[in-house]
Amino acid sequence: MTFALNNLPTANGGWFKAAEQQDAVAILLEVSGFERQRPTPNGPKDSALADVTVFKTPDQLKTFTPEVSQGQRIEQTVLARDLEGVVGSAVLVTVTQVPAKKPGSHPAWVWRQVTDPEIKNRVIAYAEQRDTAVQSAVSDAPDFD
């Protein structure tokens, strides 16, 4: 039997703060879970759980040195609901605000798909390099059988 090591989806990465990521070049979201109307101290909210890799600057993208948060909770209404259909996969996005449709309402945070092929290719190269390093580390680990 082959040993398969998985991670438990836990929210040890805090909460996603869209305002802090609005200038990011690219955000790689690897969504591991979604809960509809999860109980919170502020009332029930739709909630997504994801590993969030943020490339804040073109230099971070170029050098493969993003900011990585594993198990980050995303609870802004529109952002979380958009991730419900991509549990178990990844998306490459940025985040921005759109004006409120009703007077007196707050602007909403929304995802924007990254369409620049150069950015996509760099993020894919980063993810492939990361996954290769993990596989290498696992295969180099001692066998205790």
Side-chain angles (χ1 to χ4, degrees), residues 29-52:
L29 299 172
E30 297 170 272
V31 185
S32 57
F34 179 84
E35 294 177 64
R36 185 161 298 286
Q37 297 299 295
R38 178 178 170 270
T40 73
N42 299 318
K45 294 181 180 226
D46 288 345
S47 178
L49 189 62
D51 292 343
V52 180

Side-chain angles (χ1 to χ4, degrees), residues 103-138:
S105 296
H106 296 290
W109 288 103
V110 296
W111 303 117
R112 292 287 186 237
Q113 203 74 33
V114 171
T115 57
D116 184 326
E118 186 176 329
I119 292 173
K120 277 184 176 181
N121 290 337
R122 291 297 297 171
V123 173
I124 290 169
Y126 161 78
E128 289 172 347
Q129 179 188 42
R130 177 196 66 187
D131 293 347
T132 300
V134 168
Q135 288 302 325
S136 176
V138 169

Side-chain angles (χ1 to χ4, degrees), residues 22 25-27 35 39 41 72 80 97 106 113 116 118 140:
Q22 66 183 345
V25 174
I27 303 169
E35 294 177 64
Q72 204 165 62
Q97 269 188 319
H106 296 290
Q113 203 74 33
D116 184 326
E118 186 176 329
D140 290 347

Side-chain angles (χ1 to χ4, degrees), residues 94-110:
T94 58
V95 66
T96 190
Q97 269 188 319
V98 295
K101 293 182 180 180
K102 296 179 184 177
S105 296
H106 296 290
W109 288 103
V110 296

Side-chain angles (χ1 to χ4, degrees), residues 23-95:
D23 296 325
V25 174
I27 303 169
L28 176 64
L29 299 172
E30 297 170 272
V31 185
S32 57
F34 179 84
E35 294 177 64
R36 185 161 298 286
Q37 297 299 295
R38 178 178 170 270
T40 73
N42 299 318
K45 294 181 180 226
D46 288 345
S47 178
L49 189 62
D51 292 343
V52 180
T53 305
V54 180
F55 295 90
K56 286 195 171 191
T57 65
D59 189 51
Q60 283 184 326
L61 188 60
K62 181 179 170 187
T63 59
F64 292 158
T65 54
E67 297 174 12
V68 179
S69 298
Q70 293 187 335
Q72 204 165 62
R73 200 53 81 186
I74 301 169
E75 290 185 336
Q76 291 92 339
T77 305
V78 176
L79 298 180
R81 288 181 187 164
D82 285 350
L83 299 176
E84 181 178 16
V86 293
V87 173
S89 60
V91 293
L92 184 58
V93 295
T94 58
V95 66

